[in-house]
Amino acid sequence: MKLIIAAVALATSSLALAHNCPNEMKAIDAKLMTSPKLSPADMSKVKELRADGEKFHKEGKHDDSMKALGSAKKILGI
């Protein structure tokens, strides 16, 4: 019984992360719309990470997507 509960919890958490990628992308996009004060290098990196996050999400690689999007959010200070 504990194994079944653990399996359901794991599946649910993976689904939650998969569905959160678009929300993370929206948060990044919203911050970018405010013209944050970043160096050109940081802005380029944020845009690259944002694009990578969307690509990974579309490929079903949600852990990779969340990692890339999280790195972009960190640079943006969100």
Side-chain angles (χ1 to χ4, degrees):
M1 185 64 167
K2 288 182 182 182
L3 183 58
I4 293 171
I5 293 170
V8 169
L10 180 61
T12 303
S13 66
S14 294
L15 288 175
L17 286 177
H19 294 294
N20 200 41
C21 299
N23 291 331
E24 297 295 301
M25 288 184 269
K26 286 178 188 175
I28 292 166
D29 293 344
K31 184 67 174 186
L32 288 173
M33 294 295 290
T34 68
S35 300
K37 304 245 186 281
L38 295 175
S39 70
D42 282 346
M43 182 61 80
S44 177
K45 187 66 176 172
V46 165
K47 290 179 179 181
E48 178 185 337
L49 289 164
R50 163 59 175 86
D52 287 347
E54 184 170 2
K55 178 179 83 88
F56 290 140
H57 173 72
K58 288 179 180 179
E59 293 172 352
K61 299 176 182 176
H62 300 292
D63 289 339
D64 292 336
S65 176
M66 291 298 291
K67 183 177 178 183
L69 296 171
S71 294
K73 286 177 67 176
K74 184 176 181 181
I75 295 168
L76 287 169
I78 55 174

